[in-house]
Every structure is written in C-alpha cells, then in structure tokens.
Amino acid sequence: MRRFLGYERALIVTAVEVERAEVLGGLGADGQAPDALEAGAPVVVVACGVGPAAAAAVTSQFMTMAMRQGAPFDVVVSAGIAGGFAGRVEIGGLVVATESIAADLGAEGPDGYQSVDDLGFGTSRHDADPALLRQLRQALPEAVGGPVLTVSTVTGTAHSKELIEKRHPDAVAEAMEGFGVATAARLWPAAAFGEIRTISNAVGPRDRAAWRIPQALATLRETFAILTGRGL
C-alpha cells in the first residue's frame, strides 16, 4: 500500500464500514481484514462507529496500539460522507476542513446557545494542521475549504438548519465524528490532524430521496486514490 501524502504512517478514521471500504479501495487495498492493524503498515483505515464519542475512543485505541508497537502515526484523518450547506458545496462535492467544530457542545439558556468556549469550560474547535491542510488543498484543488461541524443529532428541519447556520455562518458541511477524532489526535502532538468529507445530501429538511450516497462514496474512493498517487 502506498503512503498517504508522503507521511510515514497514517490513520484514516471513518464512521461506518461502507466508508472504510471505499477508502481502502482508493488506496488499492480492497478486501483488507476489517480489524487489521498490521505493524508498520503505512496506512491503517478503521471504522469507528457513529458519533464523536466512538470516534475519540477508537482513535485513541489505535494510536495507543501504534505507539506500543513502536510505529506511531504521524497523521490522523477523519474521513467519510457528510451533509453540505447549500450554496457552499454541491452534492457529490468534496470538502477539506479548515477546522472541526463540535456544533452542539454547550448549553441553552434564556440568552440563547452558548458553546463550551463561551462558558469557559474548554474548546469546541480544533484547527486542521496547517501543513497538512496546505498539502490537501494542493492535491485536491477542487475541494471546498471551510469549517466542518460535528453534531450528535443530524440537522433535519428548516428551523434547526437556520439555528446552526446562524451560529456557524462559514460552515461548509456537517458530520458526526471529526471533532472526536481531532480530540483524540491532539493527545499525540506529533500527529497532524485533518478532516475530509464528500457530500451526499444538503443540510436541512430530511429528504432521503434527494440523497446521493453512492455518488459521495465514489468521490471518497477517488479522493484517496489521488492522495496516494494512484489517481494522478
């Protein structure tokens, strides 16, 4: 398997197995055992489960195992499909996160929503590694750059879309794992973090008939082929 953007060892974290399979296909590694963590493999792809808690737990698990093997990861990427904000990215399009934001980590009150940052309890934002971000933007010039939101409940009504857009007017996409992966990755300061998403649907009123999951998965495969030099 080829290296990811020239990094010595990469951990790619998806939510579900179908996303993992497409990433592996892009890497030219179809059929790899689901739970494989081959010592020293240049790229390891794992499906962590849905949501930021599962993402943080599994990312930490794999990074700890790699450290114990003496072959730590130097880059960690959250990857998969996502909802995109209309007018900022098209369905079937590609997003590279400038930062991963826990969009619903905070408190509601009479004065509206307050993030954990506002409350003084920590941070709801993790920036993408600047050097990795530059590499991704150079390799994927068609990608839309911007904040990617991490939510525990997918936005599914016009009202909830209005509220989340008001709080995050620059956000380009919404997913469920990026902030969790980033939180775990930051425990290893030497590891660069990034998030890549392909767009299957528009954020807003839930309309399954309008979703284009196969198209987004195909874009995911193509993206990782490019990032390992197989699609150039």
Side-chain angles (χ1 to χ4, degrees):
M1 189 186 296
R2 300 189 187 190
R3 298 190 187 281
F4 174 85
L5 287 177
Y7 284 88
E8 287 297 316
R9 200 160 193 233
L11 175 64
I12 313 298
V13 184
T14 71
V16 295
E17 194 59 40
V18 67
E19 293 169 322
R20 180 178 183 272
E22 294 300 331
V23 171
L24 284 171
L27 298 173
D30 298 85
Q32 181 173 319
D35 299 318
L37 180 54
E38 180 184 343
V43 184
V44 172
V45 188
V46 58
C48 66
V50 175
V58 173
T59 301
S60 291
Q61 175 192 21
F62 272 71
M63 294 192 77
T64 299
M65 289 191 295
M67 183 69 72
R68 288 176 175 173
Q69 291 174 348
F73 296 108
D74 55 352
V75 63
V76 182
V77 176
S78 176
I81 65 175
F85 286 93
R88 301 170 201 170
V89 60
E90 300 295 327
I91 292 176
L94 174 64
V95 163
V96 171
T98 56
E99 58 181 329
S100 300
I101 303 173
D104 50 11
L105 185 60
E108 290 185 336
D111 298 323
Y113 175 83
Q114 291 181 290
S115 70
V116 292
D117 310 72
D118 299 328
L119 295 167
F121 294 157
T123 184
S124 60
R125 298 170 177 264
H126 289 306
D127 292 334
D129 178 80
L132 173 59
L133 182 59
R134 284 194 298 272
Q135 288 178 282
L136 290 172
R137 297 302 299 273
Q138 289 170 0
L140 305 167
E142 77 284 6
V144 175
V148 174
L149 307 182
T150 298
V151 296
S152 294
T153 301
V154 172
T155 301
T157 67
H159 177 64
S160 57
K161 176 177 180 285
E162 180 182 353
L163 291 177
I164 204 165
E165 282 189 306
K166 185 176 180 179
R167 294 202 302 264
H168 303 284
D170 298 328
V172 294
E174 172 189 278
M176 303 183 78
E177 294 79 32
F179 183 81
V181 176
T183 298
R186 292 305 169 90
L187 299 175
W188 284 264
F193 167 76
E195 182 172 3
I196 299 169
R197 295 286 173 179
T198 58
I199 305 304
S200 60
N201 59 281
V203 174
R206 196 169 176 84
D207 180 10
R208 291 293 297 269
W211 292 6
R212 298 294 180 266
I213 290 176
Q215 183 180 354
L217 290 171
T219 302
L220 190 64
R221 176 180 286 245
E222 293 164 6
T223 296
F224 278 86
I226 291 170
L227 293 175
T228 53
R230 298 183 66 249
L232 298 178

